[in-house]
Amino acid sequence: MNRPVGAGLRAHAAGAQDILRTDGPAAARIVVTVVAAWQVALWLGADQPPVFAAVVPLVALRGDPFTALGASLQRVLGVVAGVVIAIVALNLLSPSTGTLALVVTLGLGAGMLLRAGGGLNIQVAASSLLVFASASPDAYALDRLWETVAGAAVTIVLAPLLWPPDPRRTLSALAADCRTHLTRALTATTAALATGLVAAGDNLTLVNAHNDAVHADAARAREAVRAMRFNPVRRRHRGAVRELAGGIATADGLTAQLATLAREVVAFAGRDDLAADLSRAGRHLPGLAAATAEVIGDSLAADGARDVVPALTRARTALAAYAHADSGPVAVVLRRPFQRMLDDLDHGGGPGDATVRR
């Protein structure tokens, strides 16, 4: 009994270490920036605890400096607009439920315009409501306005410098994950051609799951590239980041062809009238899939270190051999996704295209 308990404790400890390793730098960045914003507001003459300045990093700082900049700007614009709306409303109208409804409505309307790169800016309505509910709206509005601006300025300055994210490391991990998912989807689909309809259908579900994972990796890759724009510490990695991001974007585009291939396998699997076609496909597709997987792996190598041309040439040779051995309609349908994947990986195609497209 002690062994499983010990293993469970080790697993929990490893999980806690992973969480600390992943979220620790972000939490430390928030703590340092909150303290700095608080202290700067005190130096600027805050006569009350400058809570508004300290709140900005808590709201703005997330995974990357790009998000921090956008969120800080969004918060400042929202506070300014909200304060103005509330002060004008309270100077023209007496406090009432109707005035409250008007203030919140105007705040949400302004938030639709002051997006600052994001969605609806709720900060406008929130600031209007807080000023509306204050016992001394004018003093409250002024304190909230300048403290928020101070907190945002500190956040924008410190966010790219304190434990900045490493886009190259992130993209390297994402590229490896994309390579794994695409290779597994490709090899499993070619193997499913020799199975029955049920197994081919299960494979289509599996391929869709692999494709979803690649889509998620591509979205994270785009976030990492955006983080690079406001990351002065990592500027020397721009070339590597550009290469990795391009490879992941290409990998994301391959998922459509993988899904098409999996659907075609479902259409053909288990059909007795296509036994001869499927037999010929079974002799050629595994080698073609292995060669294509090699091209995918080389295109997603860290920092673009591998030349894809040798693997691409082997894959095109395997595709041409299949075209020479079988020019029937089933073979044409099964080859088409491979042809399009190789064209995408070649970034414009190669001299053998005309021979292979048969």
Side-chain angles (χ1 to χ4, degrees):
M1 294 294 292
N2 291 334
R3 190 174 303 171
V5 172
L9 291 176
R10 285 194 296 273
H12 285 301
Q17 290 176 355
D18 290 340
I19 292 173
L20 183 61
R21 190 180 304 111
T22 302
D23 296 336
R29 182 188 299 122
I30 291 173
V31 170
V32 172
T33 310
V34 165
V35 172
W38 178 284
Q39 188 60 51
V40 166
L42 290 176
W43 288 337
L44 291 175
D47 54 3
Q48 297 290 331
V51 176
F52 306 133
V55 166
V56 177
L58 291 173
V59 174
L61 285 177
R62 298 176 187 173
D64 57 72
F66 178 82
T67 304
L69 176 62
S72 296
L73 178 60
Q74 186 182 56
R75 184 171 177 80
V76 171
L77 292 176
V79 169
V80 172
V83 167
V84 170
I85 289 171
I87 292 297
V88 170
L90 289 174
N91 278 277
L92 296 178
L93 303 170
S94 59
S96 66
T97 303
T99 305
L100 172 64
L102 177 63
V103 166
V104 173
T105 300
L106 293 175
L108 292 175
M112 296 178 188
L113 301 176
L114 300 176
R115 292 175 177 267
L120 175 64
N121 192 346
I122 302 297
Q123 183 64 54
V124 184
S127 295
S128 297
L129 186 59
L130 290 173
V131 173
F132 181 85
S134 174
S136 54
D138 293 336
Y140 178 89
L142 180 60
D143 290 341
R144 183 171 180 78
L145 182 60
W146 78 261
E147 287 181 13
T148 299
V149 172
V154 172
T155 301
I156 292 170
V157 170
L158 293 183
L161 304 177
L162 296 174
W163 299 282
D166 188 344
R168 184 177 63 171
R169 181 182 302 172
T170 299
L171 288 170
S172 295
L174 293 174
D177 193 57
C178 286
R179 180 171 61 246
T180 298
H181 284 292
L182 293 176
T183 301
R184 289 178 179 175
L186 186 59
T187 55
T189 299
T190 55
L193 191 63
T195 64
L197 181 60
V198 174
D202 292 340
N203 175 72
L204 177 58
T205 301
L206 180 64
V207 168
N208 288 334
H210 283 306
N211 287 347
D212 288 342
V214 174
H215 294 326
D217 287 342
R220 290 186 59 197
R222 290 190 290 271
E223 293 176 359
V225 172
R226 285 198 299 269
M228 198 73 181
R229 301 176 189 175
F230 298 92
N231 194 335
V233 179
R234 309 290 186 186
R235 301 295 285 180
R236 65 187 183 278
H237 298 157
R238 282 179 295 180
V241 167
R242 188 164 48 248
E243 290 284 343
L244 287 165
I248 293 172
T250 299
D252 192 32
L254 300 180
T255 57
Q257 301 307 320
L258 284 172
T260 297
L261 181 63
R263 287 193 296 269
E264 300 296 357
V265 168
V266 171
F268 296 147
R271 288 183 54 176
D272 294 336
D273 58 318
L274 300 178
D277 299 275
L278 298 181
S279 177
R280 287 190 294 270
R283 291 194 295 270
H284 290 277
L285 281 184
L288 176 57
T292 304
E294 186 180 359
V295 182
I296 292 172
D298 289 350
S299 70
L300 291 170
D303 299 353
R306 297 180 193 168
D307 183 7
V308 301
V309 173
L312 188 64
T313 300
R314 288 190 292 272
R316 289 196 182 279
T317 301
L319 188 61
Y322 184 22
H324 180 75
D326 188 351
S327 59
V330 171
V332 170
V333 169
L334 291 174
R335 281 197 302 272
R336 189 175 294 120
F338 285 96
Q339 176 65 64
R340 289 174 177 169
M341 283 189 283
L342 293 177
D343 287 346
D344 289 344
L345 290 164
D346 195 22
H347 300 291
D353 291 351
T355 303
V356 176
R357 286 198 187 104
R358 293 175 22 171

